[in-house]
Amino acid sequence: MSDDSRGFFFVFQPRVGEPVKEITIWFNGGPGCSSLEGFFQENGRIQWSWGQYSPQINPYSWVNLTNMLWVEYPVGVGFSPGNATAIDEEEPAAEFVQFFKNFQNIFNISNHNIYVTGESYAGRYVPYVANAMLDQNDTKHFNVSGALVYDPCIGSFEYANAISVYPFIEQYNNILGFNKSFVSLLAQRDKQCGYAQFRQDYMHFPPNGTQPPLYLNTTADPDCDLWDAVYDNAYGVNPCFNVYEPNLQCPLLSDPLGFPSDLIYSYPGLPPYFNRTDVKKAMHAPLTTDWELCTGPVFVADGGPEGYGDLSPDPLQGVLPRVIEATNRVLISNGALDLEVLTNGTMLAIQNMTWHGKLGFQTAPATPIVIKIPDIQYADVFVSSGFDGLDAYQGVMGVQHYERGLMWAETYLSGHMQPQFQPRSSFRHLQWLLGRIDAL
């Protein structure tokens, strides 16, 4: 960047095994959460996740397939220096383009295929960054070859959660445990608030038209704030409820990164791992920075869509279709158990997006994702289950669908952080993104 007071902190790990001329970039979301979470608990070489007593080698690390670059993004997140000034996605994306070209020049990297990936609010970061790279018209440094977003904040995702939460409860109440009277109340409000009718009208393959703007006045009519009602009442059933992985039960799992909520507890008396002085020194991180997993705000506009201070148009309106049409290699995936960003909400968003001249998917996703463990061998290593007779087959782990350059993957038994909760499935997703396999 031209301003020395601003920058991006990053971790780069080259592929384990034969070199490849590609770089896969990873962003966490928030907005305001550090991508060192992805590096340390999801798809990095070393994994120290919730409930683990100590770090271990991650057998499904993405570095077993590709060169990985985790970037704390935007400016002001984690160790990335500078004050938040952005009112939209364009400013941090432009700063990232400068950073990434400097990164390549310093390390003498060029003519690599570039894949941009991330999760949650990075569902906005990824398409805007990829679009800014495409704008450079420079395949030597910005040869965008594909993109991947997990459980993404696309479409009117908060409204889509309200529209989609009752069917989720109906399907998964066996793990949530709400009583019959509460479920009946949700069903009644789902109809009264028009959510059931909205799904009936617009969850179609192919779509039967563009969805109307969603202006759900849950402030004036709090009975229609169904998602918050589910969230609040879930703690009454399960005091250890976790919106990111609702099938977790007590006790609360420990987290070396100090997740900033009551969902996970930090190790007593210890700072978050990346705020330790010895760790900062080992990572060449600034010793004076007080690292936190999530900070904010990172956008400073007054209000903005969803109240995050981010005034950019939804990615569905332009930048995401452009990335799909430029690469024909984009994967959107949702964890079936994710209650933070609901799978049906993400699908409603896709059905309201036009790419390659058509609106939404023309056919409903139905092809199973079947994972046979030997399919994901890497670097001459086979990961055994440890149980006789169970090494050859994991089973049906989701549903896939590909149309016009876009791959959809619903991941069974996974919550929000898919590389953390279902790493074998995520490894398969990356294989497809990189062109190693033709289907999931």
Side-chain angles (χ1 to χ4, degrees), residues 345-360:
T346 301
M347 182 54 70
L348 278 171
I350 291 173
Q351 292 306 92
N352 206 33
M353 176 175 66
T354 299
W355 73 98
H356 280 308
K358 292 183 179 180
L359 179 67

Side-chain angles (χ1 to χ4, degrees), residues 89-420:
E89 296 286 345
E90 285 82 356
E91 178 185 311
E95 291 183 321
F96 186 85
V97 165
Q98 297 178 52
F99 154 81
F100 191 58
K101 189 167 185 179
N102 290 340
F103 169 83
Q104 292 178 79
N105 290 337
I106 290 170
F107 293 101
N108 195 27
I109 297 170
S110 62
N111 295 307
H112 279 46
N113 292 338
I114 309 302
Y115 300 90
V116 190
T117 69
E119 71 185 14
S120 195
Y121 204 80
R124 294 175 67 88
Y125 300 161
V126 167
Y128 271 96
V129 167
N131 183 68
M133 289 182 173
L134 291 170
D135 282 343
Q136 303 307 302
N137 196 26
D138 174 7
T139 56
K140 180 178 179 181
H141 297 101
F142 301 104
N143 185 24
V144 179
S145 301
L148 177 155
V149 287
Y150 282 131
D151 302 66
C153 294
I154 56 176
S156 299
F157 53 92
E158 290 189 347
Y159 297 150
N161 272 353
I163 290 170
S164 305
V165 72
Y166 173 69
F168 181 93
I169 300 306
E170 196 174 38
Q171 183 173 1
Y172 293 114
N173 196 41
N174 60 326
I175 61 174
L176 289 164
F178 292 122
N179 62 34
K180 290 183 179 179
S181 61
F182 181 71
V183 175
S184 296
L185 179 63
L186 289 176
Q188 177 185 344
R189 291 179 178 175
D190 183 60
K191 292 180 180 178
Q192 290 176 345
C193 297
Y195 302 157
Q197 187 65 49
F198 191 97
R199 295 191 304 271
Q200 182 177 333
D201 290 344
Y202 295 105
M203 186 66 89
H204 286 276
F205 303 89
N208 62 0
T210 302
Q211 298 164 26
L214 302 178
Y215 299 111
L216 308 180
N217 192 350
T218 54
T219 300
D221 190 354
D223 286 348
C224 290
D225 194 356
L226 294 195
W227 187 91
D228 278 345
V230 168
Y231 179 86
D232 293 341
N233 281 275
Y235 287 97
V237 181
N238 174 12
C240 299
F241 168 72
N242 187 320
V243 70
Y244 298 103
E245 185 77 336
N247 58 335
L248 292 177
Q249 303 295 321
C250 290
L252 288 172
L253 299 177
S254 57
D255 181 9
L257 297 186
F259 197 91
S261 76
D262 59 352
L263 305 180
I264 305 291
Y265 75 85
S266 301
Y267 287 89
L270 296 178
Y273 183 78
F274 292 113
N275 207 36
R276 289 171 36 172
T277 300
D278 59 336
V279 174
K280 292 179 183 178
K281 289 180 178 179
M283 297 185 68
H284 307 287
L287 298 180
T288 56
T289 298
D290 187 18
W291 186 91
E292 295 179 65
L293 179 56
C294 296
T295 56
V298 294
F299 297 96
V300 296
D302 184 14
E306 318 294 350
Y308 291 114
D310 176 1
L311 299 181
S312 287
D314 190 281
L316 303 182
Q317 298 178 25
V319 292
L320 183 54
R322 184 192 182 193
V323 176
I324 297 171
E325 293 165 1
T327 66
N328 289 303
R329 208 77 182 176
V330 172
L331 188 148
I332 297 177
S333 178
N334 229 89
L337 297 182
D338 185 9
L339 189 49
E340 177 71 8
V341 177
L342 291 166
T343 297
N344 282 348
T346 301
M347 182 54 70
L348 278 171
I350 291 173
Q351 292 306 92
N352 206 33
M353 176 175 66
T354 299
W355 73 98
H356 280 308
K358 292 183 179 180
L359 179 67
F361 284 136
Q362 305 303 292
T363 305
T367 304
I369 299 171
V370 181
I371 293 186
K372 298 178 180 179
I373 295 176
D375 290 349
I376 52 177
Q377 292 184 55
Y378 62 88
D380 300 322
V381 175
F382 171 67
V383 181
S384 172
S385 69
F387 296 94
D388 292 340
L390 297 181
D391 290 334
Y393 186 74
Q394 180 173 354
V396 178
M397 291 303 298
V399 176
Q400 62 182 306
H401 184 72
Y402 180 82
E403 280 189 37
R404 310 189 314 277
L406 176 61
M407 174 69 83
W408 162 256
E410 178 183 2
T411 304
Y412 292 165
L413 301 178
S414 181
H416 194 67
M417 297 84 155
Q418 291 193 46
Q420 178 178 348

Side-chain angles (χ1 to χ4, degrees), residues 49-66:
S49 190
W50 302 349
Q52 288 181 216
Y53 292 115
S54 61
Q56 65 181 26
I57 296 296
N58 180 5
Y60 302 105
S61 172
W62 288 11
V63 301
N64 294 313
L65 285 173
T66 185

